[in-house]
Amino acid sequence: MKRSSRTRLTAVVSGALMVVALGAATPAVAGTADGAGAAGVQVEEVGSAAPVLVADLAAAPASVTATYYCAVRDGQFGCTNGAPGDGLVVAELYQHAEFGGWRVVVFNPAYSYGCSSGTGDNEGGANLGTYQNAVSAVKTYNHCDVRLFDGNAKSGAATGFIDRDNNLGSFNDRANSFAIS
């Protein structure tokens, strides 16, 4: 598979669909992710009997001011091309605690069921670019988990794998990149 040379997010603002490029971020901070969840992030499962599609999240709650989309692919890093109606939602990243402000809907256009079990695989990820150091809450769907990193390219300190957290506590406004598993 060919990796995209540019990272993109698609936004729906006031009913208009537009593509915005993520801005260049600062260089990655050297470090390793320990996986121990030392940041104190709470983990709570989000259950769903049916697969959650991007279209299922089209009607944003009143607390959401804008929605951006990021298509991820297995084994690849970065947002890739993908229409927001394709595939399954793997995560939502929110600007404010309690799921408010803007949100980034992360989806995989190739999925019809969801993520595989366990957290040892690579089901995509991306740098947050323009949205770095601004994520305060996370939800995941379709058996997926997300891990946040304070450096670019999945480097630096990291949370454990999160299913749902309405307030990232000590990791609030620190994420520069994420990984899906």
Side-chain angles (χ1 to χ4, degrees):
M1 294 182 174
K2 181 179 177 184
R3 290 185 186 209
S4 174
S5 62
R6 293 177 29 183
T7 301
R8 293 185 215 174
L9 285 180
T10 306
V12 176
V13 182
S14 301
L17 182 65
M18 60 191 213
V19 176
V20 292
L22 290 175
T26 57
V29 176
T32 60
D34 61 12
V41 174
Q42 297 176 9
V43 176
E44 178 184 331
E45 185 175 355
V46 176
S48 175
V52 178
L53 303 169
V54 175
D56 296 332
L57 301 179
S63 62
V64 172
T65 57
T67 298
Y68 306 96
Y69 295 92
C70 171
V72 295
R73 312 265 184 197
D74 285 359
Q76 295 186 19
F77 190 78
C79 296
T80 62
N81 291 331
D86 295 343
L88 297 180
V89 176
V90 296
E92 287 179 288
L93 310 175
Y94 288 86
Q95 178 184 19
H96 299 307
E98 302 300 330
F99 314 112
W102 50 253
R103 69 178 173 174
V104 177
V105 175
V106 182
F107 67 103
N108 189 318
Y111 284 177
S112 59
Y113 173 72
C115 295
S116 60
S117 63
T119 56
D121 51 356
N122 177 357
E123 300 193 58
N127 288 331
L128 290 167
T130 301
Y131 308 101
Q132 69 184 2
N133 299 321
V135 173
S136 298
V138 172
K139 290 182 187 179
T140 64
Y141 299 89
N142 300 308
H143 311 286
C144 299
D145 298 297
V146 66
R147 177 179 244 172
L148 303 173
F149 297 85
D150 70 358
N152 288 324
K154 302 185 290 186
S155 68
T159 65
F161 279 97
I162 303 168
D163 286 315
R164 176 188 175 99
D165 197 328
N166 63 337
N167 184 341
L168 294 174
S170 65
F171 219 82
N172 185 52
D173 292 342
R174 286 182 54 196
N176 282 291
S177 61
F178 66 91
I180 302 295
S181 183

